[in-house]
Amino acid sequence: MFLKRTREQRLKFCSLYSGSSGNSLFVSNNNTRLLIDAGLSGKRIQSALTAIEENPAEIGAIIVTHEHSDHIHGVGVLSRRFDLPVYANDKTWAAMEKDLGKIAPHNIKNFNFKQSFVIDDFEIEAFKTSHDAADSSGFVIYDGKKRIGVATDSGMITPEMMTALSGCELVVLESNHDVSMLEAGSYPFYLKQRIKSDFGHLSNETAGDLALELVKKGTRSLVLAHLSQENNYPLLAYETTARILTQAGVALEKDVALCVAKRSCVSETINL
């Protein structure tokens, strides 16, 4: 399935919030506006949209990666307030439905991993990520010309993830923790093991290695996201990936733009 572009359109991306306290991403072109996750209150997400000069009432849908509260906290409120469709796979719906409150039947939308789906101007491919959730997803959003990939909340890089993200102009990539900080930190042993497991979160080093492979395959903008507040900090995440890229001969800004998504406020808007 391929979408035809009838006229030149601007593809816009902004991380509204990113981190264990809440996640929400915004993607739009001239006609279609989407949220990927809504993990904070509806009020805070509306304020973030207003801050980037977007009208919350013009959002076309919310796409959900998985059912953890830092990704769905505001989904139900926003769906009811603005009559928004909510897209998730079957297992995620089953896991999160009780936490969303009442969703109008016409706004309950399902997708699967075998077939892309269309929301207005966007074709969306979902792929599996490796996380301790019912059936967590990443996404590639395609406007007919350019692709944005979103891969957060995954404990390892799967071949399916690599295939889906290859060739995306922009990739939002989890860079959750520094391994040394995690091991020396105050988290209980079981939680440290969970985070480091194949069903936890990507470390800075693993994110940097994946970033390098993606740049080789055509990615030109990288957004490091979902940083741990206790086991990471933005400069460390940035410097880890920057080091891996530059040691391989990648010129930052010339070959690829690299930034870190902010935790508690909107990040820089990226236009493709």
Side-chain angles (χ1 to χ4, degrees):
M1 185 189 303
F2 294 96
L3 299 181
K4 295 182 179 180
R5 287 160 58 94
T6 57
R7 61 188 179 90
E8 190 65 26
Q9 299 197 64
R10 185 182 69 170
L11 193 57
K12 176 180 177 181
F13 168 82
C14 185
S15 172
L16 304 181
Y17 300 99
S18 180
S20 54
S21 54
N23 299 271
S24 188
L25 307 175
F26 171 84
V27 178
S28 74
N29 66 4
N30 293 0
N31 303 311
T32 306
R33 290 158 176 79
L34 302 178
L35 289 179
I36 302 172
D37 293 333
L40 292 96
S41 70
K43 181 178 180 180
R44 290 188 67 183
I45 291 174
Q46 286 180 237
S47 296
L49 289 167
T50 302
I52 61 170
E53 299 181 343
E54 294 290 344
N55 183 354
E58 293 180 353
I59 298 297
I62 304 172
I63 311 168
V64 177
T65 60
H66 65 291
E67 74 276 7
H68 291 169
S69 61
D70 59 322
H71 293 261
I72 68 165
H73 181 72
V75 169
V77 169
L78 291 170
S79 179
R80 289 185 288 275
R81 187 169 295 162
F82 299 110
D83 195 30
L84 293 180
V86 178
Y87 288 77
N89 61 53
D90 287 338
K91 291 182 180 178
T92 298
W93 266 114
M96 73 177 181
E97 199 163 10
K98 66 182 184 302
D99 296 317
L100 298 186
K102 184 173 178 59
I103 303 293
H106 66 273
N107 283 330
I108 297 174
K109 306 291 185 180
N110 298 78
F111 64 78
N112 61 59
F113 296 107
K114 296 181 179 180
Q115 184 176 12
S116 60
F117 58 102
V118 172
I119 301 176
D120 297 329
D121 288 345
F122 290 131
E123 179 181 351
I124 301 163
E125 174 191 352
F127 57 90
K128 287 181 178 287
T129 58
S130 182
H131 194 50
D132 57 352
D135 204 6
S136 59
S137 309
F139 300 107
V140 173
I141 299 173
Y142 178 48
D143 74 337
K145 186 177 181 181
K146 295 181 179 180
R147 291 173 170 82
I148 292 176
V150 176
T152 62
D153 295 83
S154 189
M156 64 178 178
I157 302 163
T158 65
E160 183 179 9
M161 181 189 301
M162 193 71 238
T163 298
L165 296 176
S166 295
C168 288
E169 279 76 8
L170 183 152
V171 175
V172 183
L173 178 61
E174 177 173 58
S175 187
N176 176 258
H177 62 277
D178 174 79
V179 173
S180 296
M181 287 184 68
L182 175 65
E183 291 177 344
S186 63
Y187 282 5
F189 178 77
Y190 80 88
L191 184 54
K192 293 178 181 181
Q193 294 303 108
R194 174 215 169 227
I195 291 169
K196 292 191 295 181
S197 77
D198 287 346
F199 300 98
H201 295 278
L202 295 183
S203 69
N204 291 343
E205 289 283 346
T206 305
D209 291 339
L210 177 54
L212 177 58
E213 294 305 310
L214 292 174
V215 171
K216 291 177 181 177
K217 296 177 182 297
T219 296
R220 292 295 172 259
S221 294
L222 287 163
V223 180
L224 303 179
H226 211 298
L227 274 66
S228 168
Q229 189 168 17
E230 181 166 340
N231 302 306
N232 208 354
Y233 55 92
L235 183 59
L236 179 57
Y238 179 92
E239 289 183 340
T240 302
T241 291
R243 171 179 51 79
I244 292 171
L245 293 175
T246 55
Q247 286 180 348
V250 176
L252 295 180
E253 302 310 323
K254 179 182 178 182
D255 297 328
V256 63
L258 175 66
C259 66
V260 179
K262 296 178 181 178
R263 169 178 293 275
S264 301
C265 61
V266 299
S267 299
E268 175 185 357
T269 295
I270 299 173
N271 295 306
L272 300 175

